[in-house]
Amino acid sequence: KLVAAGRLTKMHGKNVAGFSVLVEDDWQGEGLGAKLLLELIKHGEADGLDGIEGIVLPTNRAMIHVAEKMGFESVYDKELNVVKQYFSYKEAAPTSKAKEDYDIQLRRFTCPINI
């Protein structure tokens, strides 16, 4: 059963990719979204991207918090009523402390998460 998915989509004409992370309701709060987002950051870096960005509903406070903890900048777009999140590989990277915290938290997962 598929319970979570993450994706990077390269944007035309830019060295940036859009990200999306989906976690089934029953599995939210277990750290899967954080793990997927960290993996997407690693893949984007390995692909030589300048950054990744995504759009999150303002009610999804958990995802906003996770992304900010990993170094994303969040900007609220009042007109569209969404939070735009930006991660620049040149400006920021997940701190080793944040990465260590997530690695410790996610060791309980025995199945690999393939992206």
Side-chain angles (χ1 to χ4, degrees), residues 1 4 14 16 18 26 36 46 53-54 62 66 71 85 103 112:
K1 177 179 179 180
K14 297 168 62 175
V16 174
D26 291 342
L36 285 170
E53 56 188 52
V66 166
Q85 297 192 293
D103 285 347

Side-chain angles (χ1 to χ4, degrees), residues 3-109:
V3 297
R7 179 172 74 177
L8 284 179
T9 305
K10 181 93 169 48
M11 296 184 176
H12 180 71
K14 297 168 62 175
N15 196 32
V16 174
F19 79 88
S20 62
V21 173
L22 300 167
V23 179
E24 185 179 297
D25 288 346
D26 291 342
W27 286 85
Q28 291 185 9
E30 299 293 327
L32 290 173
K35 176 66 174 172
L36 285 170
L37 186 56
L38 187 58
E39 290 299 318
L40 294 176
I41 291 170
K42 290 177 187 178
H43 281 277
E45 183 175 33
D47 287 345
L49 294 175
D50 293 333
I52 61 177
E53 56 188 52
I55 296 174
V56 181
L57 293 174
T59 55
N60 193 348
R61 296 191 188 282
M63 188 63 197
I64 293 167
H65 175 74
V66 166
E68 288 176 345
K69 194 170 182 180
M70 291 188 184
F72 281 77
E73 176 187 350
S74 296
V75 177
Y76 176 66
D77 185 321
K78 188 175 181 178
E79 184 178 322
L80 298 175
N81 191 34
V82 296
V83 176
K84 296 180 179 182
Q85 297 192 293
Y86 304 95
F87 182 89
S88 169
Y89 291 99
K90 296 176 184 176
E91 305 274 326
T95 65
S96 59
K97 174 71 174 132
K99 183 185 179 313
E100 183 179 311
D101 288 348
Y102 282 113
D103 285 347
I104 290 169
Q105 175 188 356
L106 296 167
R107 281 190 190 134
R108 65 182 179 199
F109 291 107

